[in-house]
Amino acid sequence: MSVEFAAVAGPDVSVDALRRFSFNQATAQRWPLPDVVSGCVQAGVPGIGLWREPVAEYGLARAAKLVRDAGLTVTSLCRGGFFSADDWRAENLRAIEEAAALGAPELVLVSGGLPAGSRDIGGARQRVAHAIGELAPHAEAAGVCLAIEPLHPMFAADRCVIASLGQALDIAERFAPTVVGVVVDAYHVWWDDTVYAQIERAGSRIAAFQVCDWVTPLPEGVLLGRALPGDGCIELRRLREAVDAAGYAGPIEVEVFSAEVWARPGAEVLDAAIAGYLRHVV
């Protein structure tokens, strides 16, 4: 445990204080998977969110064994979706199989943007709903929940036409909550004046809750505009209280995309993520 973290959280963080904490490996992007796993174990972190690309690089079976032997719970696998791609069906079926092999309860879906040359955002959203309908029976058979993640509207053109929690729920409500749910990601929903009503509406369909913070000015490209909890302007505790009130009692993942954060040593990032979680989320 670093000196910085010890000063914030005290020399002994109770198991109960971290019982819902999960560290999404994207937060320390340059930390190799074995080091992320070892760091989580040393810090008393019970959960880890995984990404398909580094898992594939390490080897799916090896990664599953590594995490299992360490006693960590895989809280999510990122990501499926991107339904505007020609090979979306085969790619998502593989992603479902990978989630099942890792023991991840849900596969996070980022729906994809507009097809090349298209301006038909309504049609693109219909395509997302149709694709999820095709995948749902396979996910159910594998015991994996398809978790639709709405992204901030600034990503609608190129990354995700599902731009609000309400839009995600309009699709998810066509299926059983155990088969298709939604992701409440603070970065993407905090701005929405309907978000608390939509969280209440979501109820048991909340499959994952992810936290980070929003900083300004946003960097060029905007994707890396996240910060560790407490370093921005989001009412993170209010969001956490809302998902709790809706009945969600699952893991809380810290997931940050930031060049500044990625430049720091992985262990330091994990300590800072835990400190921000304890101060500003729980």
Side-chain angles (χ1 to χ4, degrees):
M1 183 179 297
S2 73
V3 174
E4 175 190 2
F5 176 59
V8 171
D12 297 303
V13 178
S14 72
V15 172
D16 186 64
L18 293 179
R19 65 183 175 82
R20 296 177 67 185
F21 180 87
S22 177
F23 187 69
N24 190 291
Q25 72 173 132
T27 305
Q29 191 187 60
R30 299 173 189 173
W31 218 8
L33 181 58
D35 295 341
V36 178
V37 168
S38 176
C40 286
V41 170
Q42 291 178 29
V45 169
I48 185 171
L50 297 177
W51 280 69
R52 294 181 65 205
E53 293 81 4
V55 165
E57 183 178 344
Y58 189 76
L60 178 62
R62 287 180 69 209
K65 184 177 188 302
L66 175 70
V67 175
R68 182 174 61 249
D69 290 352
L72 295 178
T73 298
V74 179
T75 55
S76 70
L77 179 65
C78 290
R79 63 197 173 190
F82 289 92
F83 299 118
S84 56
D86 292 338
D87 63 345
W88 68 265
R89 190 176 189 279
E91 189 62 29
N92 278 278
L93 290 176
R94 280 194 292 271
I96 290 169
E97 292 175 358
E98 292 165 13
L102 292 166
E106 66 260 348
L107 172 67
V108 175
L109 300 181
V110 175
S111 67
L114 293 170
S118 173
R119 292 180 172 85
D120 183 6
I121 194 167
R125 288 176 179 143
Q126 291 176 2
R127 180 188 178 104
V128 171
H130 173 75
I132 290 173
E134 280 202 38
L135 295 174
H138 301 279
E140 184 174 18
V144 174
C145 179
L146 300 174
I148 306 170
E149 180 174 15
L151 266 58
H152 191 283
M154 65 184 171
F155 296 110
D158 63 342
R159 192 169 294 270
C160 188
V161 294
I162 305 302
S164 71
L165 189 55
Q167 291 170 3
L169 286 168
D170 288 343
I171 297 173
E173 287 173 346
R174 306 175 191 185
F175 307 92
T178 55
V179 179
V180 180
V182 296
V183 180
V184 178
D185 184 324
Y187 185 75
H188 295 300
V189 303
W190 73 275
W191 59 274
D192 187 349
D193 64 347
T194 73
V195 68
Y196 294 102
Q198 296 299 335
I199 287 172
E200 183 178 6
R201 171 189 171 191
S204 62
R205 295 184 183 279
I206 300 174
F209 178 44
Q210 297 178 330
V211 296
C212 65
D213 227 322
W214 179 288
V215 294
T216 52
L218 290 173
E220 183 178 357
V222 304
L223 183 63
L224 306 187
R226 300 187 181 211
L228 290 162
D231 290 344
C233 61
I234 301 177
E235 292 182 290
L236 293 171
R237 183 170 290 109
R238 185 181 177 194
L239 284 169
R240 194 268 304 159
E241 290 171 348
V243 298
D244 286 0
Y248 180 76
I252 302 172
E253 284 189 11
V254 173
E255 182 190 58
V256 176
F257 306 148
S258 163
E260 180 180 340
V261 171
W262 290 343
R264 298 165 64 179
E268 180 182 306
V269 172
L270 176 58
D271 284 355
I274 293 171
Y277 169 83
L278 294 173
R279 267 184 173 168
H280 300 283
V281 181
V282 300

